[in-house]
Amino acid sequence: MMELLRMEAHEIAAAVRAGKLSARDVLEATLERIASVDGIPGTIGGDPGAEPDKIHAFITLTAERARAQADAVDAKIAAGEDPGPLAGVPFTVKDIFVVEGTPSTAGSRILANYIGPYTATPVERMEAAGGVMLGKVNLDEFTFGSSNESSAFKPTPRNPWDTSRVPGGSSGGSAAAVAAGEGWLSLGTDTAGSIRQPAAFCGVVGLKPTYGRVSRYGLIAFGSSLDTPGPVARSVRDAALMLQVIAGRDPHDATSAAVPVPDYLAALEKDVRGLRVGLSPDYFRIVRAEGGELVEEPLPAEIKQAVLDTAERLANMGVEIVEDVPMPHNRYGIPAYFVIARVEAASNLHRYDGVKYGYRTPDRVADMREMYRKSRGQGFGLQPKLRILMGMYVSAAQYSERYYQRALQVRTLIRRDFEAVFDPEGKYRLDALLTPTTPTAAFPMGAVYGDSVLMQYADQLTVAANHAGVPGISVPVALNSEGLPLGVQLLGRDFDEATLLRLARAVEDAAAFTAKV
Amino acid sequence: MEYEAIIGLETHIQLNTETKIFCNCKADSWGEPPNTNICPVCTGQPGVLPVLNKAVAEKAVLLATAMHAEVQRVSYFDRKNYFYPDLPKGYQITQFDRPIAIGGYLDLPMPEGYTRRVHIIKLHIEEDAGKTKHANGYRLIDFNRCGVPLIEMVTGPDLRSADEAAQYLIRLRQLVRWLGISEGNMEKAHIRCDANVSIRPKGADYLNPKTEIKNVNSIDAVREAIATEIQRQIREVEAGGKIEPWTLEWDEDAGVLRKMRSKETEADYRYFREPDLLPLVMDEEWKARILADFPELPLERRARFMAQYGLPEYDADILTTERALSDYYEAALQAYNGDPKRVSNWVINEVLRLLNERGLSADQLKVTPQYLAMIIRLVDKGTVNTSTGKALVVKVEDTGKPPKKIVEEEGLAQVSDTGALRQICEKIVAANPKEVEKYRSGKTSLIGWFVGQVMRETRGKANPKEVQKILRELLG
């Protein structure tokens, strides 16, 4: 069985399409794997400390639905039809996507009883391509976090490399599941780093595509101008395979782009010789606001080293490494994100009011206002409440100019940093920037949670790509001294995931990182 | 002291698009059971996104152009955040600081003879909310109306009387129907109106605090509510009181205004750009396509009818109430190729009656303008008499047959043959000796009665003038 689990998704699909492997057999092996490593799923009121050596990636396992899909794939093969490029590949979905007929909870009590009435576009595309959905995996409540510990569904996911540590977040269930061999692919979302950071923590590949590359229809919104669905996979090739399926214009999403989708798998075959990759000093330090002062700290040496080693290996392959690339506004990424994401989140969370669906207080209430207050007060956890309060505050008429409008200006400046270094006529003419993905490796559970400001600095190296809308990918390259995975990040031009994947493939090849499974 | 009223109107116009503004649900749910035209998008399910129905922008451009407003090349959608059970997303998607059109005006010809120019401040697109009903201690919510497209249009404080306000709505209703962008039925809330009302000494150049009247659902109600409020404000000021900036609700049944709330604090809707929609870019090419068949507007056509055809204002006004009717008139006039006033009389009297009785619009008639012209010609030539001509209008509408064919088939041609008529007249005179005696003894008004008898005998086909001539001779 381990042999099957070590295959890559594209190999599974090829074998199923060739009739050498049945989708049902692949699924049963995966379900067995889940049964042996995952432990009890997250539930409302569950024991956070239960089964501390298990992964707990899932909220909802939809085994019967998956069996029906696998059988349908096999039936197509038997009938001589092609089930599609993901034929028989089991995948998981972050429970921030609505899927028809399945609980779609956002990791929150307020949606714990919500059954999706329709299916999110990326999920629909994966299923239409022959993929087999295993179920919905855990996340930070409404994706508000970087460790998965804010989920209302306990126990929360643990890092497969060391189950005393967090898997990262908010797509922690996705990264943990893929790393632990519970499905080959997972559909995550990235608003400030929520795909790339957990991918780095769990030693897997995480791709945040260009904003507009993948439809957001069915993604329960957090920061609508930042949210980006994307693949979590065990290899760059598998991430490319998945992006191929989910990318492209969707008539249900006005912000999805009509830009043609290139052949990502073909792009992987191209040489990286001659590509220009930049290193920026602004990505080798962390700048935090502390008591009104900006405090600058260098990154841990082994994280910086992992990036420099990667750069050297790329240079050996003929990539031109450009040093000292200035990204001066990177340091303002988190404060600007703090404001923009909260304004959008507060508005996006308005609809959870106990009126139409989801949690409604069982208490007797005097009037409608009280019903709102109690339903929202009891239904939302701490993180949504903090974001609503802050979001309401900074978008109020008297403060909007000072905070929200200013944050939008900062966002424009961050975008200009990228435009300058990617400008083909400019000084740097980069094809990509190479940076660390995270300032630390996976931290112990309970170590950071509770300090929501500090928690957000986990995203300092990733958030700029969300502000700018550009694509980014995290690739695992090494283990640190504690045996935990470290990831490097490549950031690229708008809609140029092909070049990013091509470079990521080279990074992956050269690093020879060994997956957990 | 003499006062003048300062009135501004905020109107919401429900557009007659097939589908809603951000989803594919049917827009018009009039008379349908609650929650039948709904989907995940318009009920605000988690994860859904709005996609703009382009027809909404196109209809807004038509109205903006008709109002002489400046259509903006780029406009934006914003979120207006507030909690209400029939607002499923907890925010309304609307346009705030960058609406689709700015400025403009409408010139109102008043029946008194002067023209009032009403400025338009802005015109924007937004989605409607649902409906809440209270029953048996429950709030019942109908989401059918959620996402129905609206245009909100705000006038300057330019109206000076309740009649002017009513006139504005009459002209606006005429205009939206003319443009084909809304059914314009106020009873069905296709046009909703809030009125801002204040008073000041006549001739003053400052503005006093205003009150806002909400929920007025007909033009008569708008006139009455504003007139009532003006009187109340005058009484209040005369008594030494002050006008508070209240929001008032018009109770149509009781004919009184009720205070809804004091307006001391403006709600903060925390407007911000709707991130789920792209800016609305109205480029020249799209605009040109929308305006390619832009029609002559009702007030322009009204003026032209008076100038070009010499029609009285009364006729021109009636003929231009509806675009189809005015098109009908012009087509009939062209086919008739004669006195414009004569065609106007036939349209206003006969055609309009038919339209009202049958609930049709002029372009749906089987009595085409060409048939109408033929009928008038038949009357002119004396082939049929006037009352047969009028009956022909109805008969053509009922059968769809050409007027001449009906005249032939039913033998409706006027009998002017004096030999035949004389025979019938002699018969009538012989059969009514008493009336003949009365006539001869001086009651000559009985001539009408004799003519009537002959007409009855000929089933209305006799030429009445000829009949009268023969009868006078026989009775003489």
Side-chain angles (χ1 to χ4, degrees):
Chain A
M1 188 180 86
M2 285 314 284
E3 205 173 313
L4 177 75
L5 291 177
R6 285 200 188 101
M7 288 170 74
E8 292 193 16
H10 63 94
E11 293 167 335
I12 297 276
V16 169
R17 288 167 102 176
K20 291 181 189 151
L21 208 53
S22 88
R24 183 61 185 261
D25 287 348
V26 175
L27 172 65
E28 294 302 337
T30 313
L31 291 174
E32 230 174 278
R33 173 72 180 173
I34 294 168
S36 74
V37 303
D38 206 57
I40 56 168
T43 52
I44 298 285
D47 172 11
E51 301 174 338
D53 53 342
K54 299 288 190 188
I55 307 299
H56 307 293
F58 279 85
I59 289 178
T60 309
L61 181 68
T62 52
E64 284 318 305
R65 191 177 190 278
R67 287 191 174 101
Q69 284 177 347
D71 290 347
V73 168
D74 288 333
K76 277 194 176 173
I77 297 290
E81 294 167 40
D82 183 1
L86 294 183
V89 177
F91 68 93
T92 55
V93 173
K94 184 180 185 178
D95 206 8
I96 199 71
F97 289 95
V98 176
V99 175
E100 189 171 357
T102 72
S104 300
T105 71
S108 180
R109 178 188 293 269
I110 212 159
L111 282 178
N113 65 2
Y114 182 71
I115 307 292
Y118 70 100
T119 297
T121 299
V123 178
E124 195 176 87
R125 288 185 180 178
M126 290 181 78
E127 292 188 335
V132 174
M133 190 184 87
L134 296 165
K136 310 293 278 299
V137 289
N138 216 332
L139 69 161
D140 282 293
E141 184 173 1
F142 281 101
T143 80
F144 302 155
S146 305
S147 71
N148 261 241
E149 292 160 286
S150 68
S151 176
F153 289 75
K154 312 280 186 194
T156 57
R158 291 169 176 271
N159 194 311
W161 293 81
D162 175 350
T163 55
S164 74
R165 291 179 186 261
V166 301
S170 63
S171 309
S174 292
V178 170
E182 305 176 75
W184 275 259
L185 306 169
S186 188
L187 179 65
T189 63
D190 192 312
T191 306
S194 278
I195 286 175
R196 291 161 289 162
Q197 183 256 23
F201 279 13
C202 293
V204 294
V205 174
L207 169 62
K208 178 207 105 67
T210 312
Y211 185 83
R213 178 77 296 181
V214 178
S215 169
R216 291 184 293 120
Y217 188 69
L219 189 182
I220 299 174
F222 162 15
S224 310
S225 71
L226 303 154
D227 295 341
T228 317
V232 177
R234 265 198 314 267
S235 74
V236 171
R237 178 171 290 275
D238 285 356
L241 175 74
M242 178 166 159
L243 181 63
Q244 194 79 53
V245 170
I246 62 176
R249 169 97 184 124
D250 174 13
H252 289 300
D253 178 0
T255 63
S256 70
V259 178
V261 179
D263 186 338
Y264 295 121
L265 291 170
L268 296 181
E269 306 305 325
K270 286 195 207 154
D271 201 348
V272 292
R273 186 168 302 275
L275 291 179
R276 291 169 63 84
V277 170
L279 295 174
S280 170
D282 295 303
Y283 275 88
F284 290 121
R285 53 180 166 238
I286 285 294
V287 183
R288 281 195 288 131
E290 236 174 55
E293 299 280 313
L294 285 182
V295 183
E296 201 173 298
E297 290 167 11
L299 283 188
E302 53 187 359
I303 287 186
K304 186 172 181 185
Q305 199 52 49
V307 177
L308 296 179
D309 289 348
T310 301
E312 197 180 319
R313 288 193 289 261
L314 284 175
N316 291 340
M317 287 185 261
V319 171
E320 280 184 58
I321 300 297
V322 183
E323 292 189 73
D324 289 324
V325 175
M327 298 295 285
H329 298 98
N330 191 46
R331 61 172 59 192
Y332 305 115
I334 289 295
Y337 168 78
F338 232 84
V339 173
I340 294 168
R342 276 161 176 71
V343 169
E344 293 182 2
S347 173
N348 284 329
L349 294 178
H350 261 245
R351 70 186 64 193
Y352 310 110
D353 55 9
V355 172
K356 311 163 288 282
Y357 49 71
Y359 181 86
R360 181 187 291 186
T361 182
D363 300 354
R364 286 189 76 84
V365 290
D367 59 14
M368 202 184 61
R369 291 277 142 194
E370 196 184 356
M371 192 281 283
Y372 281 156
R373 266 199 305 276
K374 289 203 160 179
S375 297
R376 287 167 67 83
Q378 295 162 7
F380 283 129
L382 178 64
Q383 294 306 322
K385 283 177 188 164
L386 287 172
R387 279 162 172 80
I388 290 167
L389 286 174
M390 175 75 99
M392 294 264 196
Y393 181 83
V394 296
S395 61
Q398 68 269 41
Y399 298 119
S400 172
E401 202 60 39
R402 211 156 104 203
Y403 295 107
Y404 184 61
Q405 299 304 330
R406 199 136 173 238
L408 292 177
Q409 287 162 5
V410 169
R411 186 172 181 179
T412 304
L413 295 175
I414 292 172
R415 166 85 195 167
R416 285 195 192 139
D417 282 356
F418 283 100
E419 285 172 355
V421 302
F422 291 142
D423 181 356
E425 317 275 289
K427 181 174 174 197
Y428 298 96
R429 304 182 304 283
L430 299 183
D431 293 293
L433 265 173
L434 174 66
T435 80
T437 309
T438 56
T440 65
F443 41 84
M445 294 183 87
V448 184
Y449 190 65
D451 186 336
S452 60
V453 176
L454 194 61
M455 183 69 89
Q456 291 219 302
Y457 281 91
D459 296 329
Q460 179 152 93
L461 306 176
T462 44
V463 69
N466 299 80
H467 281 306
V470 300
I473 188 169
S474 178
V475 184
V477 291
L479 296 180
N480 72 359
S481 52
E482 295 173 292
L484 298 169
L486 297 177
V488 298
Q489 173 178 241
L490 288 156
L491 301 172
R493 287 179 297 245
D494 290 338
F495 298 104
D496 193 11
E497 286 84 358
T499 302
L500 216 53
L501 286 161
R502 182 172 151 202
L503 278 162
R505 174 73 173 177
V507 168
E508 179 184 53
D509 274 351
F513 178 83
T514 310
K516 181 68 186 167
V517 176
Chain B
M1 189 181 313
E2 216 186 323
Y3 295 92
E4 68 179 354
I6 310 293
I7 303 158
L9 297 182
E10 223 178 273
T11 45
H12 285 89
I13 300 149
Q14 180 179 321
L15 299 178
N16 59 353
T17 51
E18 284 288 312
T19 56
K20 294 185 180 180
I21 184 167
F22 297 126
C23 63
N24 286 324
C25 289
K26 191 154 77 80
D28 181 14
S29 294
W30 185 257
E32 294 192 27
N35 298 311
T36 45
N37 289 318
I38 58 173
C39 74
V41 174
C42 57
T43 55
Q45 300 295 309
V48 297
L49 297 169
V51 176
L52 177 66
N53 176 354
K54 288 200 164 148
V56 173
E58 292 172 354
K59 287 176 190 270
V61 167
L62 287 175
L63 182 59
T65 305
M67 302 303 285
H68 315 92
E70 207 177 300
V71 174
Q72 304 296 296
R73 208 188 77 81
V74 184
S75 65
Y76 294 86
F77 290 95
D78 297 88
R79 289 189 187 176
K80 179 179 180 178
N81 297 283
Y82 65 96
F83 286 100
Y84 205 71
D86 61 23
L87 186 73
K89 297 190 295 298
Y91 55 83
Q92 180 194 29
I93 303 179
T94 180
Q95 296 191 301
F96 183 51
D97 57 336
R98 299 283 302 273
I100 189 161
I102 294 172
Y105 62 88
L106 184 65
D107 280 333
L108 299 177
M110 292 301 295
E112 292 82 355
Y114 68 92
T115 298
R116 168 69 66 206
R117 173 162 289 197
V118 185
H119 290 92
I120 303 302
I121 294 170
K122 67 166 193 169
L123 187 149
H124 75 243
I125 299 170
E126 64 184 26
E127 61 177 338
D128 208 346
K131 279 187 208 163
T132 303
K133 202 170 100 180
H134 296 264
N136 308 322
Y138 287 95
R139 269 170 201 267
L140 302 174
I141 304 170
D142 178 5
F143 291 117
N144 276 353
R145 215 178 61 185
C146 286
V148 168
L150 301 176
I151 292 178
E152 183 180 315
M153 198 158 65
V154 183
T155 75
D158 298 334
L159 297 157
R160 291 289 172 269
S161 69
D163 282 338
E164 288 187 8
Q167 196 61 30
Y168 173 78
L169 290 174
I170 289 168
R171 291 303 178 192
L172 180 62
R173 182 179 60 184
Q174 176 188 32
L175 190 61
V176 298
R177 289 180 179 168
W178 193 277
L179 295 169
I181 64 170
S182 169
E183 301 308 314
N185 187 333
M186 280 190 87
E187 281 68 33
K188 290 187 184 175
H190 295 154
I191 299 180
R192 285 166 246 166
C193 175
D194 300 335
N196 290 303
V197 180
S198 65
I199 58 164
R200 69 184 176 194
K202 202 171 172 72
D205 59 358
Y206 56 85
L207 292 173
N208 281 318
K210 61 179 195 263
T211 55
E212 186 178 4
I213 309 173
K214 288 202 173 283
N215 299 340
V216 256
N217 304 324
S218 72
I219 289 170
D220 287 341
V222 169
R223 187 188 283 114
E224 252 184 279
I226 293 175
T228 306
E229 174 59 6
I230 293 170
Q231 288 314 311
R232 183 193 74 82
Q233 290 192 12
I234 292 174
R235 275 199 313 276
E236 190 71 41
V237 171
E238 297 272 275
K242 269 178 76 181
I243 303 303
E244 305 283 348
W246 291 338
T247 299
L248 303 163
E249 188 175 35
W250 176 244
D251 182 332
E252 196 163 355
D253 297 326
V256 293
L257 289 158
R258 299 185 202 288
K259 187 172 150 186
M260 285 172 81
R261 57 176 180 261
S262 306
K263 240 195 171 175
E264 285 115 23
T265 50
E266 283 270 325
D268 182 357
Y269 294 113
R270 299 185 290 108
Y271 285 98
F272 71 98
R273 291 271 183 270
E274 168 55 274
D276 292 332
L277 288 167
L278 301 176
L280 173 55
V281 179
M282 181 57 59
D283 55 43
E284 285 307 314
E285 194 200 322
W286 189 14
K287 205 168 113 185
R289 242 182 305 139
I290 298 167
L291 298 178
D293 298 313
F294 195 76
E296 182 182 26
L297 295 176
L299 291 174
E300 296 166 6
R301 185 166 286 186
R302 177 179 178 273
R304 182 169 62 81
F305 279 9
M306 288 160 68
Q308 185 178 343
Y309 304 134
L311 291 180
E313 186 171 356
Y314 175 83
D315 289 46
D317 211 41
I318 291 181
L319 291 175
T320 55
T321 43
E322 299 275 347
R323 186 169 163 189
L325 184 69
S326 68
D327 287 345
Y328 184 99
Y329 168 74
E330 282 212 285
L333 177 58
Q334 202 185 12
Y336 178 69
N337 197 19
D339 178 15
K341 175 63 180 156
R342 180 154 172 77
V343 179
S344 171
N345 290 345
W346 277 82
V347 172
I348 290 176
N349 294 321
E350 306 313 317
V351 176
L352 211 51
R353 180 191 308 134
L354 196 63
L355 293 178
N356 290 337
E357 279 171 8
R358 309 208 172 175
L360 294 172
S361 97
D363 53 351
Q364 296 169 317
L365 285 176
K366 282 188 235 149
V367 203
T368 60
Q370 291 71 29
Y371 284 166
L372 180 72
M374 287 175 197
I375 293 169
I376 306 174
R377 280 284 174 223
L378 288 173
V379 176
D380 290 349
K381 281 189 281 182
T383 310
V384 298
N385 59 34
T386 304
S387 63
T388 304
K390 289 177 180 178
L392 261 180
V393 172
V394 177
K395 283 179 195 233
V396 172
E397 179 60 24
D398 287 339
T399 61
K401 290 180 185 168
K404 272 187 186 152
K405 193 151 187 240
I406 295 175
V407 170
E408 280 165 26
E409 281 177 3
E410 301 191 15
L412 295 180
Q414 189 160 249
V415 182
S416 301
D417 172 353
T418 41
L421 281 181
R422 179 171 293 272
Q423 243 178 359
I424 296 166
C425 288
E426 283 169 350
K427 198 176 113 192
I428 294 293
V429 168
N432 297 285
K434 272 190 201 162
E435 281 71 16
V436 173
E437 199 178 320
K438 277 187 197 163
Y439 179 89
R440 288 183 174 150
S441 61
K443 200 166 180 207
T444 52
S445 63
L446 270 174
I447 188 73
W449 183 84
F450 280 102
V451 173
Q453 295 304 303
V454 176
M455 293 308 280
R456 207 167 75 181
E457 190 72 20
T458 59
R459 287 187 294 121
K461 294 183 297 184
N463 182 331
K465 276 185 199 151
E466 201 61 37
V467 171
Q468 210 172 67
K469 206 172 114 196
I470 298 168
L471 279 172
R472 280 194 204 286
E473 213 181 293
L474 292 174
L475 294 169

